[in-house]
Protein backbone atom coordinates (compact mmCIF):
# COMPACT_ATOMS: atom_id res chain seq x y z
CA UNK A 1 0.00 0.00 0.00
CA UNK A 2 2.84 2.43 0.76
CA UNK A 3 4.31 1.81 -2.73
CA UNK A 4 0.94 2.68 -4.31
CA UNK A 5 0.62 5.78 -2.13
CA UNK A 6 4.12 6.98 -3.02
CA UNK A 7 3.40 6.36 -6.70
CA UNK A 8 0.19 8.41 -6.47
CA UNK A 9 2.03 11.29 -4.81
CA UNK A 10 4.94 11.13 -7.29
CA UNK A 11 2.53 11.20 -10.23
CA UNK A 12 1.49 14.71 -9.25
CA UNK A 13 -2.14 13.69 -8.96
CA UNK A 14 -2.34 15.33 -5.55
CA UNK A 15 -0.47 18.54 -6.40
CA UNK A 16 -2.39 21.61 -5.36
CA UNK A 17 -4.54 19.77 -2.81
CA UNK A 18 -4.72 21.96 0.29
CA UNK A 19 -7.11 19.92 2.41
CA UNK A 20 -7.53 16.20 3.07
CA UNK A 21 -10.48 14.46 4.69
CA UNK A 22 -9.49 10.85 5.13
CA UNK A 23 -11.65 7.77 5.59
CA UNK A 24 -10.15 4.37 6.28
CA UNK A 25 -6.52 3.37 6.57
CA UNK A 26 -4.67 6.22 4.89
CA UNK A 27 -1.50 5.89 6.94
CA UNK A 28 0.55 4.80 3.89
CA UNK A 29 -0.64 7.89 2.00
CA UNK A 30 0.13 10.24 4.89
CA UNK A 31 3.57 8.65 5.24
CA UNK A 32 4.20 8.99 1.49
CA UNK A 33 3.05 12.61 1.44
CA UNK A 34 5.51 13.33 4.24
CA UNK A 35 8.33 12.64 1.81
CA UNK A 36 7.45 15.35 -0.72
CA UNK A 37 8.08 19.09 -0.63
CA UNK A 38 4.68 19.84 -2.15
CA UNK A 39 3.11 18.58 1.08
CA UNK A 40 4.08 21.93 2.65
CA UNK A 41 1.09 23.39 0.75
CA UNK A 42 -1.42 21.18 2.60
CA UNK A 43 -3.30 23.24 5.20
CA UNK A 44 -5.84 20.79 6.65
CA UNK A 45 -6.14 17.14 7.62
CA UNK A 46 -9.39 15.67 8.97
CA UNK A 47 -9.74 12.01 9.82
CA UNK A 48 -11.58 9.63 12.13
CA UNK A 49 -9.41 6.59 11.55
CA UNK A 50 -5.87 5.56 12.55
CA UNK A 51 -5.38 8.89 14.33
CA UNK A 52 -2.31 7.79 16.30
CA UNK A 53 -0.46 6.73 13.17
CA UNK A 54 -1.44 9.92 11.33
CA UNK A 55 -0.20 12.01 14.26
CA UNK A 56 3.12 10.13 14.31
CA UNK A 57 3.58 10.61 10.55
CA UNK A 58 2.78 14.32 10.68
CA UNK A 59 5.06 14.82 13.70
CA UNK A 60 7.95 13.03 11.98
CA UNK A 61 8.05 14.87 8.68
CA UNK A 62 8.95 18.55 8.34
CA UNK A 63 7.17 18.52 4.96
CA UNK A 64 3.92 19.03 6.92
CA UNK A 65 5.13 22.51 7.97
CA UNK A 66 2.25 24.26 6.16
CA UNK A 67 -0.43 22.44 8.16
CA UNK A 68 -2.84 24.85 9.87
CA UNK A 69 -5.67 22.54 10.94
CA UNK A 70 -5.46 18.99 12.29
CA UNK A 71 -8.83 17.52 13.26
CA UNK A 72 -8.75 13.90 14.34
CA UNK A 73 -11.74 12.30 16.03
CA UNK A 74 -13.52 9.07 16.89
CA UNK A 75 -10.22 7.30 17.42
CA UNK A 76 -7.76 7.83 20.27
CA UNK A 77 -4.19 9.00 19.82
CA UNK A 78 -1.69 7.54 22.30
CA UNK A 79 -0.13 10.12 24.61
CA UNK A 80 3.36 9.35 23.23
CA UNK A 81 2.24 10.24 19.69
CA UNK A 82 0.52 13.41 20.92
CA UNK A 83 3.69 14.43 22.77
CA UNK A 84 5.73 14.05 19.58
CA UNK A 85 3.17 16.21 17.75
CA UNK A 86 3.21 18.88 20.47
CA UNK A 87 7.02 19.07 20.26
CA UNK A 88 7.33 19.09 16.45
CA UNK A 89 9.03 22.39 15.52
CA UNK A 90 7.75 22.29 11.94
CA UNK A 91 4.14 22.54 13.21
CA UNK A 92 4.55 25.97 14.79
CA UNK A 93 2.01 27.36 12.29
CA UNK A 94 -0.77 25.02 13.45
CA UNK A 95 -3.87 27.10 14.29
CA UNK A 96 -6.48 24.43 15.03
CA UNK A 97 -5.97 21.13 16.84
CA UNK A 98 -8.78 18.73 17.73
CA UNK A 99 -7.56 15.51 19.23
CA UNK A 100 -8.57 12.64 21.50
CA UNK A 101 -5.51 11.75 23.56
CA UNK A 102 -5.51 8.42 25.38
CA UNK A 103 -3.34 8.04 28.47
CA UNK A 104 -2.89 11.77 29.12
CA UNK A 105 -0.29 12.55 31.83
CA UNK A 106 1.35 15.70 33.21
CA UNK A 107 4.22 14.94 30.80
CA UNK A 108 1.74 15.19 27.92
CA UNK A 109 0.42 18.50 29.26
CA UNK A 110 3.98 19.80 29.62
CA UNK A 111 4.79 18.81 26.03
CA UNK A 112 1.85 20.90 24.83
CA UNK A 113 2.54 23.79 27.22
CA UNK A 114 6.25 23.99 26.34
CA UNK A 115 6.07 23.06 22.65
CA UNK A 116 6.27 25.35 19.62
CA UNK A 117 2.51 25.50 18.97
CA UNK A 118 2.26 29.18 19.90
CA UNK A 119 -0.07 29.94 16.99
CA UNK A 120 -2.92 27.72 18.22
CA UNK A 121 -6.26 29.53 18.27
CA UNK A 122 -8.51 26.49 18.66
CA UNK A 123 -7.68 23.54 20.89
CA UNK A 124 -10.11 20.73 21.57
CA UNK A 125 -8.93 17.80 23.67
CA UNK A 126 -11.95 15.56 23.94
CA UNK A 127 -12.24 12.39 26.02
CA UNK A 128 -8.65 12.98 27.14
CA UNK A 129 -9.38 12.83 30.88
CA UNK A 130 -7.14 15.66 31.95
CA UNK A 131 -6.44 15.78 35.67
CA UNK A 132 -6.14 18.85 37.89
CA UNK A 133 -2.35 18.99 37.45
CA UNK A 134 -2.73 18.78 33.67
CA UNK A 135 -5.27 21.62 33.70
CA UNK A 136 -2.97 23.78 35.83
CA UNK A 137 -0.03 23.19 33.49
CA UNK A 138 -2.09 24.14 30.44
CA UNK A 139 -3.76 27.13 32.11
CA UNK A 140 -0.39 28.64 33.01
CA UNK A 141 1.25 27.99 29.62
CA UNK A 142 2.29 31.22 27.87
CA UNK A 143 2.28 29.35 24.55
CA UNK A 144 -1.48 28.77 24.85
CA UNK A 145 -2.51 32.33 25.67
CA UNK A 146 -3.64 32.94 22.09
CA UNK A 147 -6.41 30.34 22.32
CA UNK A 148 -9.87 31.54 21.39
CA UNK A 149 -11.71 28.23 21.77
Amino acid sequence: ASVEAASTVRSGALNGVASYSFIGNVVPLVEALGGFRSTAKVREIHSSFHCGEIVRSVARSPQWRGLRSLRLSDNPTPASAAEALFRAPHLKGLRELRLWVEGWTPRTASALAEGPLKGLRTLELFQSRLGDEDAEILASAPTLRGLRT
Side-chain angles (χ1 to χ4, degrees):
S2 62
V3 172
E4 284 179 24
S7 177
T8 300
V9 174
R10 261 196 303 284
S11 74
L14 302 176
N15 285 352
V17 174
S19 178
Y20 289 102
S21 290
F22 294 127
I23 297 174
N25 184 4
V26 295
V27 174
L29 178 60
V30 174
E31 292 262 338
L33 284 166
F36 293 88
R37 282 184 288 198
S38 61
T39 298
K41 296 176 184 175
V42 175
R43 299 293 179 251
E44 300 179 57
I45 294 178
H46 306 159
S47 184
S48 299
F49 300 93
H50 304 281
C51 297
E53 292 91 346
I54 290 172
V55 164
R56 283 188 183 95
S57 294
V58 168
R60 258 194 311 266
S61 174
Q63 302 301 346
W64 289 104
R65 67 186 171 276
L67 200 60
R68 299 294 176 260
S69 174
L70 183 59
R71 296 183 354 205
L72 304 173
S73 60
D74 299 337
N75 196 278
T77 296
S80 60
E83 291 164 18
L85 182 81
F86 299 157
R87 290 187 181 111
H90 58 276
L91 296 175
K92 63 185 176 190
L94 201 61
R95 302 286 179 257
E96 176 185 26
L97 179 60
R98 298 175 190 267
L99 195 61
W100 170 6
V101 179
E102 187 174 63
W104 190 277
T105 67
R107 185 178 72 203
T108 312
S110 293
L112 178 56
E114 298 165 4
L117 305 181
K118 295 175 181 156
L120 278 179
R121 298 294 172 258
T122 300
L123 176 63
E124 184 178 334
L125 301 169
F126 50 93
Q127 298 185 30
S128 294
R129 298 189 177 136
L130 282 88
D132 290 342
E133 184 179 356
D134 306 319
E136 287 178 24
I137 291 169
L138 296 177
S140 65
T143 56
L144 301 178
R145 290 212 172 111
L147 289 176
R148 308 266 188 278
T149 57

